[in-house]
């Protein structure tokens, strides 16, 4: 792949810098502001390239202009910090926040100008003040706007072609913020106004969060995996060794994992739709939609996307592991021994053949539907469909995926649940434990589809309330108009 950073975003200037003068003339004719950048790091270089490609005249302020000039596009002027601050109408402060104090000597030059703070902290700051607020204290006569800190140098270089196009901005001066928003649009990004500069602490903390909405789903997935893995290990590996001194520990890396993954996937998929059923039951019980759900249920409802993607990951890994099962040397050895000892009429059993065909078909269908759910959860895909289409895929097809996965597990179990030999260490087969939750969810969904229940739930979600009444006051003369009877709304 060619080095995108090494390739200029616009053509080089001709002999004698004519190209640069032409660009400067065009920017001046259009009345475009001169953009200054204080700092010469990777972010500054990418920012300069994007600004130059957008038609702006760029002046970069450096403590050592001769050393830094070669790193910037030829169309950008690299000069001293004082010179850059004096020429620019809008200045990006692209230095680390601990070095903001070194710019104090530029205070008279930067007075009345817009400063864009692009810095981030080393850790999440919950108490404040933010870097932008500290910069505003250092330069009280300048208008400080916080922005561009949530995108990387790579995103800046790729510009509109990259998926991360939103830039969060905040500032106290409306005029300064509007100029930065216009600059964002010219560069191909989408500005998001976050209000006053007091919101800068929240914007600065955004890039420092490490999957905040994924912690509980990932922890739940890992906990379920650990539980089912230990359970399968006790039944399938330890039990033969204890009872018959049969060493099957080779099953631990592949077979035991492959039995564990579908169990986790099915339980996680059930957890995606269980909170919606519980919320519907609460609304039916309360007879209103205006009561707040418990906090734990709110968090559960907002984590459904992450739970579903974790389920899809486990299902995809299960499919890959299953395809790799025949590649193992132990599997080929077992197949060879069975081929030598068993006759054809003993191997071909119609019931088992049909079970395997249906079992694989249901599994493929479940994985396909899960893939569709995962793809439509991507923002770039979700933005291309309307709400009805999105809810149909995530709800209707999601329940179809849960049904197919449940059927896949039932066909795997077949009649083994009634075989006493399957209860090793008096522990039931894994699939009997897994099936309880998805079957309960599917039955709950069928109950909500009953006409009387669905009608009442629809009324509640359209504003009907069981305990709300309207009473009309009677006139003072005691006349009755028939409206004094309480009526439901």
């Amino acid at each position: 792949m060619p080095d995108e950073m090494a390739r200029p975003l616009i053509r080089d200037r001709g002999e004698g810098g004519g190209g640069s003068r032409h660009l400067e003339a065009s920017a001046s004719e259009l009345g475009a502001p001169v953009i200054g950048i204080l700092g010469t790091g990777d972010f500054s270089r990418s920012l300069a390239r994007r600004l130059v490609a957008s038609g702006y005249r760029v002046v970069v302020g450096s403590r050592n202009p001769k050393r830094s000039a070669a790193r910037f596009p030829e169309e950008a002027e690299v000069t001293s910090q004082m010179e850059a601050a004096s020429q620019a109408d809008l200045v990006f402060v692209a230095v680390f926040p601990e070095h903001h104090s070194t710019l104090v000597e530029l205070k008279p030059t930067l007075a009345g100008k817009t400063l864009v703070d692009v810095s981030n902290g080393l850790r999440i700051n919950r108490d404040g003040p933010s870097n932008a607020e500290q910069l505003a204290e250092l330069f009280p006569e300048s208008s400080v706007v916080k922005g561009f800190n949530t995108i990387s140098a790579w995103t800046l270089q790729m510009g509109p072609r990259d998926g991360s196009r939103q830039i969060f901005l905040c500032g106290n001066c409306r005029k300064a913020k509007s100029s930065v928003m216009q600059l964002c649009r010219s560069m191909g990004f989408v500005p998001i106004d976050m209000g006053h500069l007091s919101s800068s602490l929240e914007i600065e903390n955004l890039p420092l969060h490490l999957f905040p909405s994924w912690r509980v789903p990932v922890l739940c997935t890992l906990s379920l995996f650990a539980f089912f893995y230990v359970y399968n290990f006790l039944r399938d590996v330890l039990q033969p060794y204890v009872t018959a001194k049969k060493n099957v520990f080779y099953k631990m890396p592949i077979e035991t994992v492959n039995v564990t993954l579908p169990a986790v996937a099915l339980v996680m998929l059930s957890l995606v739709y269980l909170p919606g059923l519980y919320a519907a039951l609460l609304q039916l019980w309360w007879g209103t939609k205006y009561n707040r759900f418990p906090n734990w249920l709110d968090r559960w409802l907002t984590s459904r996307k992450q739970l579903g993607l974790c389920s899809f990951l486990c299902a995809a890994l299960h499919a890959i592991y299953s395809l790799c099962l025949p590649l193992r040397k132990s599997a080929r050895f077992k197949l060879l021994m069975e081929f030598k000892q068993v006759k054809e009429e003993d191997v071909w059993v119609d019931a088992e053949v049909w079970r395997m065909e249906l079992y694989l078909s249901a599994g493929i269908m479940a994985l396909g539907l899960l893939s569709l759910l995962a793809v439509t959860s991507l923002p770039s895909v979700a933005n291309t469909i309307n709400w009805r289409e999105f809810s149909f895929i995530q709800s209707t097809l999601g329940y179809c995926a849960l049904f197919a996965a449940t059927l896949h597990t039932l066909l795997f179990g077949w009649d083994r649940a009634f075989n006493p030999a399957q209860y090793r260490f008096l522990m039931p087969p894994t699939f009997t434990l897994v099936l309880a939750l998805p079957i309960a969810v599917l039955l709950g969904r069928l109950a909500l589809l009953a006409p009387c229940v669905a009608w009442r739930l629809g009324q509640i979600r359209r504003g009907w309330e069981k305990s709300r009444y309207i009473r009309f006051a009677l006139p003072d003369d005691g006349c009755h108009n028939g409206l004094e009877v309480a009526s439901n709304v």
Side-chain angles (χ1 to χ4, degrees), residues 32-329:
V34 179
I35 307 300
I37 303 176
L38 299 180
T40 56
D42 293 335
F43 187 87
S44 301
R45 180 176 59 162
S46 297
L47 179 60
R49 288 183 180 274
R50 180 51 50 194
L51 288 169
V52 167
S54 302
Y56 289 94
R57 179 188 170 196
V58 178
V59 182
V60 181
S62 172
R63 290 174 294 180
N64 193 336
K66 293 183 179 180
R67 184 182 63 182
S68 305
R71 304 178 65 242
F72 285 83
E74 295 183 5
E75 292 76 15
E77 179 184 354
V78 181
T79 181
S80 65
Q81 291 182 342
M82 181 65 71
E83 182 66 21
S86 62
Q87 294 186 42
D89 303 306
L90 185 150
V91 180
F92 282 87
V93 182
V95 298
F96 290 107
E98 55 266 29
H99 301 314
H100 282 173
S101 58
T102 62
L103 305 176
V104 174
E105 62 181 10
L106 305 177
K107 184 182 297 186
T109 308
L110 295 175
K113 297 185 178 182
T114 299
L115 305 183
V116 182
D117 177 36
V118 301
S119 65
N120 282 315
L122 297 176
R123 60 185 62 87
I124 295 178
N125 182 2
R126 301 189 185 279
D127 302 322
S130 66
N131 297 335
E133 290 172 326
Q134 295 179 25
L135 184 66
E137 291 181 2
L138 285 176
F139 298 90
E141 298 180 3
S142 303
S143 301
V144 176
V145 176
K146 184 69 186 184
F148 286 85
N149 66 301
T150 57
I151 59 175
S152 63
W154 171 257
T155 304
L156 269 176
Q157 179 170 304
M158 296 305 293
R161 292 176 291 173
D162 191 78
S164 303
R165 300 181 58 185
Q166 291 184 341
I167 294 182
F168 299 95
L169 302 172
C170 69
N172 294 332
C173 179
R174 180 174 298 180
K175 181 179 179 181
K177 190 162 53 175
S178 298
S179 63
V180 179
M181 293 176 71
Q182 181 60 39
L183 181 66
C184 290
R185 296 188 185 97
S186 300
M187 297 169 66
F189 296 100
V190 179
I192 305 296
D193 190 352
M194 298 291 289
H196 293 285
L197 198 62
S198 57
S199 303
S200 58
L201 186 63
E202 178 185 356
I203 297 177
E204 289 179 4
N205 286 335
L206 285 176
L208 301 177
H209 288 293
L210 183 62
F211 303 114
S213 59
W214 285 86
R215 293 175 184 173
V216 174
V218 170
L219 181 61
C220 183
T221 303
L222 294 177
S223 301
L224 286 172
F225 184 88
F227 170 76
F228 283 114
Y229 186 88
V230 172
Y231 190 87
N232 292 322
F233 170 80
L234 294 176
R235 291 188 70 259
D236 301 333
V237 178
L238 190 61
Q239 192 270 346
Y241 182 78
V242 172
T243 58
K245 298 299 180 181
K246 186 177 180 180
N247 188 347
V248 290
F249 286 92
Y250 67 89
K251 293 183 177 181
M252 292 175 61
I254 301 293
E255 284 194 41
T256 308
V257 173
N258 193 42
V259 177
T260 302
L261 286 172
V264 178
L266 186 54
V267 172
M268 292 295 292
L269 186 58
S270 304
L271 293 177
V272 173
Y273 296 98
L274 182 59
L277 295 179
Y278 189 73
L281 291 177
L282 283 180
Q283 289 178 339
L284 288 170
W285 177 262
W286 292 332
T288 179
K289 70 172 184 178
Y290 296 107
N291 288 354
R292 285 188 57 86
F293 294 132
N295 291 333
W296 60 268
L297 183 57
D298 274 337
R299 291 192 295 268
W300 193 355
L301 288 168
T302 56
S303 300
R304 288 179 293 180
K305 174 182 176 180
Q306 290 77 14
L307 293 170
L309 290 176
C310 289
S311 173
F312 170 70
L313 173 63
C314 293
L317 290 176
H318 169 56
I320 296 173
Y321 269 86
S322 299
L323 292 175
C324 294
L325 287 178
L327 302 178
R328 299 172 304 146
K329 189 172 183 179

Side-chain angles (χ1 to χ4, degrees), residues 448-485:
L448 292 180
L449 290 178
C452 57
V453 179
W455 177 82
R456 176 60 70 194
L457 185 60
Q459 291 294 105
I460 291 174
R461 290 178 174 175
R462 291 181 63 85
W464 181 89
E465 294 184 83
K466 178 175 63 176
S467 59
R468 183 180 178 187
Y469 298 90
I470 295 180
R471 295 184 180 276
F472 295 88
L474 294 177
D476 294 337
D477 56 3
C479 296
H480 294 267
N481 56 8
L483 295 179
E484 68 276 5
V485 181

Side-chain angles (χ1 to χ4, degrees), residues 340-394:
K340 291 181 177 180
Q341 299 176 4
V342 182
K343 297 180 181 179
E344 180 180 351
E345 55 270 17
D346 296 330
V347 175
W348 186 273
V349 179
D350 285 339
E352 286 296 318
V353 172
W354 274 101
R355 181 189 72 85
M356 182 58 66
E357 298 293 321
L358 295 173
Y359 160 72
L360 291 176
S361 178
I364 294 171
M365 185 62 66
L367 181 59
L369 291 173
L370 275 176
S371 303
L372 180 60
L373 297 177
V375 170
T376 53
S377 67
L378 298 175
S380 57
V381 178
N383 291 337
T384 63
I385 57 179
N386 59 37
W387 173 249
R388 185 177 182 183
E389 294 166 343
F390 181 80
S391 60
F392 172 79
I393 294 173
Q394 295 293 329

